[in-house]
Amino acid sequence: MNIVIFSESGKSKISELLELDDEVELREFSADELENYKQYNPSLLILDLDLTKIREFCAVRKLECSVLIPSPIIPEDLTVRALTYDYITTPINQTELNVRAKALLKTYETKKNLVKSAICDELTGLYNRRYLHHRLDAEISRSKRYGTPVSCLLIDIDYFKIVNDMYGYEWGDILLKKIAKMLSALVRKEDVLTRYGDEEFIVILPETTEAQARIFAERFRTDVEKMEFIPANEEERHPITVSGGISSFPSEEDIEEDSNTLIRYAEHALYNAKQNGKNKIVEFSKMNLGS
């Protein structure tokens, strides 16, 4: 967690009064750096500034962190749109400061964990289906607005049920986490990686054509094919492969502009990959809808 203090000089007396745990990092900046606050990823933002400057700063922003404002009086006319916020009267009492700072950090961490649990898969830590549709719709809208492509890659672990049946669900979970870790290492910062089903994953690839998505998918497929997966009490690796289906927007197939359709077409492509021997990547084609 990060505490970031902004003061006029860049060195606030508040930093000398804070008693921090080892996992909390403290950084200080001058008021001139206030516009760049996001890049410091604060958990708690302490604004040791003139109230006029704080009013200007808070009036036009929604802050996704906790905020603590030192002030000789509680400013009733100050609107703060933040995850949570509090005031501390000056001159500052050290004990009160640390109690309030720790409470704000705890609130931030609790709310962050609640948000994460709502949009992330518990086993793999990847985003879940709820978040997937929200982001895919946003990427399709951006694609339409700026004329950039977006691709959807659906990946399925071949014969996953056999792994569960032969070695138990514990080893099935180990495999899922291993696949998730391998995918996480390949995706870019702007990509969105989600766990879509029991053994299925979807990667949203913004600004990526169908051909570029296939290159990504083939690289991952071959990496998995060579992967070491040796369950307990086994002398040799258990062969693991994946199949994948790709759909893209815009497309020569004239795909409708919504996340449900793009995913459905990726599912059709994956079905064809499975029907044609598994361990392969297939792009969506309306010609294959009935196959």
Side-chain angles (χ1 to χ4, degrees):
M1 290 189 289
N2 293 330
I3 295 179
V4 177
I5 303 175
F6 284 99
S7 59
E8 292 298 337
S9 66
K11 186 63 179 177
S12 170
K13 291 183 179 180
I14 292 175
S15 63
E16 300 172 7
L17 300 175
L18 285 168
E19 299 170 350
L20 305 177
D21 296 332
D22 292 340
E23 66 270 18
V24 179
E25 180 183 358
L26 175 63
R27 305 178 74 181
E28 293 186 81
F29 301 96
S30 69
D32 295 336
E33 289 290 310
L34 192 55
E35 291 298 323
N36 301 320
Y37 79 98
K38 275 188 177 181
Q39 74 182 58
Y40 306 119
N41 194 28
S43 308
L44 172 59
L45 195 60
I46 299 179
L47 300 176
D48 190 13
L49 300 167
D50 179 84
L51 280 176
T52 300
K53 188 164 291 185
I54 294 175
R55 284 189 182 91
E56 293 173 355
F57 176 73
C58 292
V60 295
R61 292 169 181 84
K62 184 176 181 181
L63 305 170
E64 296 181 358
C65 59
S66 293
V67 177
L68 180 61
I69 299 173
S71 175
I73 58 169
I74 303 289
E76 296 181 0
D77 61 333
L78 179 59
T79 299
V80 181
R81 294 184 298 166
L83 185 71
T84 185
Y85 69 93
D86 200 357
Y87 302 101
I88 184 168
T89 55
T90 57
I92 291 174
N93 176 280
Q94 184 176 17
T95 300
E96 182 185 4
L97 170 67
N98 283 285
V99 167
R100 290 182 183 273
K102 288 177 181 178
L104 287 167
L105 285 172
K106 185 176 181 180
T107 300
Y108 169 81
E109 192 69 14
T110 299
K111 290 189 175 183
K112 186 179 73 171
N113 288 336
L114 285 172
V115 170
K116 183 178 179 181
S117 66
I119 64 173
C120 289
D121 172 60
E122 184 177 356
L123 177 67
T124 63
L126 303 181
Y127 290 119
N128 59 23
R129 291 176 72 143
R130 179 185 302 178
Y131 185 76
L132 166 69
H133 285 277
H134 165 73
R135 278 299 301 273
L136 187 50
D137 277 330
E139 290 300 336
I140 291 172
S141 295
R142 193 164 73 93
S143 172
K144 184 178 180 182
R145 181 176 180 182
Y146 296 107
T148 56
V150 58
S151 291
C152 176
L153 169 62
L154 174 60
I155 292 172
D156 181 276
I157 303 174
D158 297 327
Y159 306 111
F160 181 71
K161 186 176 184 300
I162 292 176
V163 173
N164 280 335
D165 292 344
M166 287 182 64
Y167 308 113
Y169 288 96
E170 178 184 355
W171 280 96
D173 287 349
I174 290 172
L175 176 58
L176 287 168
K177 288 189 282 189
K178 190 173 181 68
I179 293 290
K181 186 176 181 180
M182 290 175 68
L183 274 169
S184 297
L186 284 180
V187 297
R188 305 163 301 179
K189 184 178 180 180
E190 61 268 29
D191 299 333
V192 182
L193 173 57
T194 64
R195 185 180 179 194
Y196 184 64
D198 288 343
E199 68 270 24
E200 292 179 328
F201 302 85
I202 282 184
V203 189
I204 303 172
L205 299 160
E207 299 187 22
T208 303
T209 64
E210 185 176 81
Q212 291 169 331
R214 183 177 183 87
I215 292 171
F216 174 92
E218 283 290 354
R219 178 183 174 188
F220 180 69
R221 185 192 64 78
T222 55
D223 284 350
V224 171
E225 199 172 22
K226 296 180 287 188
M227 177 185 71
E228 289 288 329
F229 182 68
I230 305 175
N233 303 319
E234 294 293 317
E235 295 182 359
E236 298 182 357
R237 67 185 284 270
H238 181 90
I240 301 295
T241 62
V242 296
S243 298
I246 298 171
S247 60
S248 299
F249 177 83
S251 169
E252 294 178 0
E253 303 289 352
D254 192 27
I255 294 179
E256 299 169 41
E257 300 165 9
D258 66 87
S259 60
N260 288 324
T261 303
L262 204 62
I263 291 172
R264 179 161 56 87
Y265 285 175
E267 289 173 339
H268 281 296
L270 174 63
Y271 175 80
N272 282 296
K274 292 284 192 179
Q275 289 295 104
N276 287 282
K278 301 182 174 63
N279 191 24
K280 59 182 58 181
I281 307 298
V282 172
E283 295 98 337
F284 170 76
S285 169
K286 281 188 175 178
M287 292 180 64
N288 295 325
L289 275 174
S291 62

